[in-house]
Amino acid sequence: MPRAPEIAPAGPVDAAELAALETSLARGATRERLLEILLEVRDAKGGRGISEKGLRHLADRLRLFPAEAYEVATAFPAVNYGASEPYATEACGDLACALRHGTTSGRGVCRNHCDGPRQAPEPRSFAAYRAAGGYGVLDALRDDPDAPARILELIATHHAVGRAGVGFPVAEKWRQVMAAAGTPVIIVNVDEGELAIFKDRFILESDPHGVLEAALVAGRVTGADAIFLYVRDDYAPIHAILRQAMSDVVAAGLTEGIAIELRRSGGAFICGEETALIASLEGRPARPSERPPFPTERGYLGRPTVLHNAETYFRLRAAWGAAPDPAVPVSGLLDPQAAVFSVSGRVRAPGPKLAHGLARLEDLVELAGGMAAGARLGGMVVAGSSGTLVAAADCRRPLADLLAEGLRLGTRGIIVFGADDDKRAIAARMAAYLARESCGQCGPCRVGTAKAAHVLAAPEPLDMSILGDLSTVMGEASLCALGRNAGRFLGGLSSSLAPSNP
């Protein structure tokens, strides 16, 4: 029997890359840090990703098969594996950029900077937050053994729910974690991988301690010993803001017994699914896993895990008495009637818009400074890449009616398009985004999103029966919400792409 050919040794690693690897490994040589190590090496190389030789060296140091490290390096765009060019930061060519800047292609992927250039953030300091009564609830949790149960009951009475689109009760999630075996872990999701969403960035740029306080409360109430802040790699200003805030709370003795760590994401939309996010934190490719068991029972490294996005934590403080402060505009979210929308596209002043009791979707255009010069309202993409194309006439109807008819706001992303924009082309870009971001683990999503993108972008007349079949298969058979929501998006196109009067 002939012998299999031997794989040639990779050879020595470039000295500068090797130094970057060893510097990063000195901070923690564990598989769980694999993605962070890859990003740190990319940073040290001026945005150029780790080389094949470097990846083999890293796999050896972490006692992984090269294929295991390769899977992770190639699963996340931000790693920029093997690239000779720096990780791109220009306009991406995804839908919001295409509408606002006229770009049709781009080397990068959506960076959620869809509101354009902004002033440097001026976050509320630790001293100012403390002076306003911040972190006082932690004193009660430390001194009163009955405080955890009381706080949990306040959260339940407040009807606090997750703000990632599903609306699951926060108190119920915490109770599940507390009933599970093992020491809990707390995760703050600031990945915001959805198309043209930037509300969590807005919150953290303004009031980072509002999120940290609630995460620490979650840790104290559930008995957790670790908090991970999982932050989008592209949010560099947020990294600096959070590192300073974390340093302040540690120095003040507020984290005793709880390790708190910032980890960067790798630019994969699939990490909006909580089990995929947890997989990336464990140093594995971001792929969803079947549920049950749910993360509240077996999450990070098999431990019970609480995972909410930044908005959920920020708003949670209203349950124990935090109130809006006129000097801190983002604190208006402590009002249960308030909502923050990420508005982009063909408007004069895109950005996060705080609304109280929004009557009509069209009112968001006024909040965003009106339509861009020369544009008339054609409609809106509501709820991101797998959302709904809402016609202009419906944008003028009462929002309550649209919600009663089944419209989903999701994480409240709004992309405004003009009357002259081609709605089929918009749908094609959305489908292409979903096809690119599918993790490829299950056939219905992997094949269905690619097929939908091809059908929508083809020059032939649109065959709605194909989209209907794809919608059914993806909606019923996909492993996670990306595929199921993509199926729902395709199912809604029969009405969305019908001619309408703006």
Side-chain angles (χ1 to χ4, degrees):
M1 182 176 178
R3 294 178 61 187
E6 294 185 0
I7 299 175
V13 182
D14 173 80
E17 184 173 74
L18 181 61
L21 275 165
E22 294 302 325
T23 298
S24 183
L25 285 164
R27 300 187 183 103
T30 63
R31 178 171 187 160
E32 294 80 58
R33 290 194 71 250
L34 177 55
L35 176 56
E36 185 64 26
I37 292 169
L38 292 168
L39 293 173
E40 288 178 352
V41 171
R42 182 211 63 191
D43 292 343
K45 295 180 64 177
R48 294 169 178 81
I50 192 171
S51 69
E52 180 185 352
K53 293 178 181 179
L55 189 65
R56 284 174 174 268
H57 176 83
L58 176 59
D60 183 62
R61 292 280 276 108
L62 296 181
R63 299 182 180 276
L64 300 174
F65 290 111
E68 292 178 288
Y70 178 81
E71 273 192 310
V72 174
T74 55
F76 297 96
V79 170
N80 210 21
Y81 171 63
S84 58
E85 295 291 328
Y87 184 49
T89 57
E90 74 275 10
C92 65
D94 277 322
L95 179 56
C97 274
L99 290 171
R100 185 159 176 79
H101 305 297
T103 53
T104 58
S105 63
R107 291 188 296 132
V109 296
C110 180
R111 300 289 160 62
N112 289 21
H113 297 160
C114 313
D115 49 340
R118 308 180 313 282
Q119 293 182 339
E122 296 182 2
R124 181 155 58 155
S125 69
F126 174 75
Y129 189 80
R130 203 61 161 127
Y135 293 109
V137 65
L138 293 178
D139 298 329
L141 286 168
R142 180 193 61 211
D143 299 334
D144 183 357
D146 296 327
R150 189 164 61 249
I151 293 295
L152 193 58
E153 185 57 34
L154 286 172
I155 292 170
T157 303
H158 190 70
H159 302 294
V161 298
R163 297 286 173 165
V166 177
F168 191 81
V170 170
E172 177 60 25
K173 179 175 282 193
W174 292 17
R175 288 186 177 117
Q176 290 177 10
V177 164
M178 294 164 71
T183 304
V185 172
I186 307 298
I187 298 175
V188 182
N189 180 9
V190 197
D191 185 36
E192 288 204 304
E194 177 60 273
L195 184 66
I197 301 289
F198 35 81
K199 63 183 180 62
D200 287 345
R201 187 205 73 204
F202 165 60
I203 291 169
L204 289 165
E205 284 178 340
S206 306
D207 205 11
H209 290 284
V211 174
L212 280 180
E213 179 186 31
L216 284 166
V217 168
R220 296 298 182 204
V221 170
T222 62
D225 67 357
I227 295 174
F228 289 104
L229 302 168
Y230 188 82
V231 186
R232 190 178 181 91
D233 173 64
D234 305 295
Y235 286 176
I238 297 295
H239 303 161
I241 288 169
L242 282 175
R243 291 188 196 283
Q244 180 61 57
M246 291 161 56
S247 175
D248 290 337
V249 295
V250 170
L254 296 173
T255 62
E256 184 178 359
I258 300 179
I260 184 166
E261 184 176 352
L262 189 151
R263 293 274 192 88
R264 289 177 290 173
S265 73
F269 170 44
I270 192 64
C271 286
E273 201 283 336
E274 57 186 0
T275 62
L277 185 158
I278 290 169
S280 76
L281 272 177
E282 294 174 337
R284 298 186 288 114
R287 294 180 187 139
S289 58
E290 298 234 16
R291 298 180 291 179
F294 292 91
T296 49
E297 180 184 353
R298 289 181 57 83
Y300 178 73
L301 298 181
R303 298 164 59 182
T305 301
V306 170
L307 192 156
H308 301 300
N309 64 15
E311 182 187 358
T312 302
Y313 285 106
F314 186 85
R315 300 181 74 124
L316 194 58
R317 295 177 301 120
W320 55 82
D325 180 349
V328 186
V330 71
S331 71
L333 286 173
L334 295 171
D335 179 348
Q337 300 304 313
V340 60
F341 291 82
S342 302
V343 183
S344 61
R346 295 199 186 279
V347 291
R348 293 181 185 274
K353 307 300 175 185
L354 199 61
H356 292 75
L358 187 71
R360 306 171 304 164
L361 288 173
E362 187 184 39
D363 296 341
L364 291 170
V365 174
E366 183 177 347
L367 288 175
M371 295 295 294
R376 293 180 297 114
L377 179 63
M380 300 179 182
V381 175
V382 177
S385 56
S386 56
T388 304
L389 276 71
V390 180
D394 287 328
C395 292
R396 299 183 180 108
R397 293 176 57 203
L399 178 57
D401 291 352
L402 299 181
L403 295 175
E405 293 167 10
L407 177 68
R408 298 184 178 200
L409 295 179
T411 50
R412 291 178 170 80
I414 304 290
I415 303 175
V416 179
F417 58 88
D420 296 330
D421 290 315
D422 184 341
K423 287 191 285 187
R424 178 172 172 177
I426 289 172
R429 282 187 180 273
M430 295 166 68
Y433 181 89
L434 292 166
R436 185 187 73 212
E437 296 295 335
S438 170
C439 75
Q441 183 175 197
C442 71
C445 180
R446 180 182 66 250
V447 177
T449 52
K451 179 67 173 178
H454 175 76
V455 168
L456 285 163
E460 295 84 10
L462 190 59
D463 186 343
M464 296 304 301
S465 66
I466 295 178
L467 295 184
D469 290 343
L470 290 171
S471 171
T472 299
V473 172
M474 294 169 66
E476 294 182 0
S478 294
L479 176 62
C480 81
L482 190 156
R484 293 194 295 271
N485 288 340
R488 188 179 299 111
F489 155 64
L490 295 177
L493 289 181
S494 58
S495 59
S496 298
L497 297 183
S500 61
N501 294 319

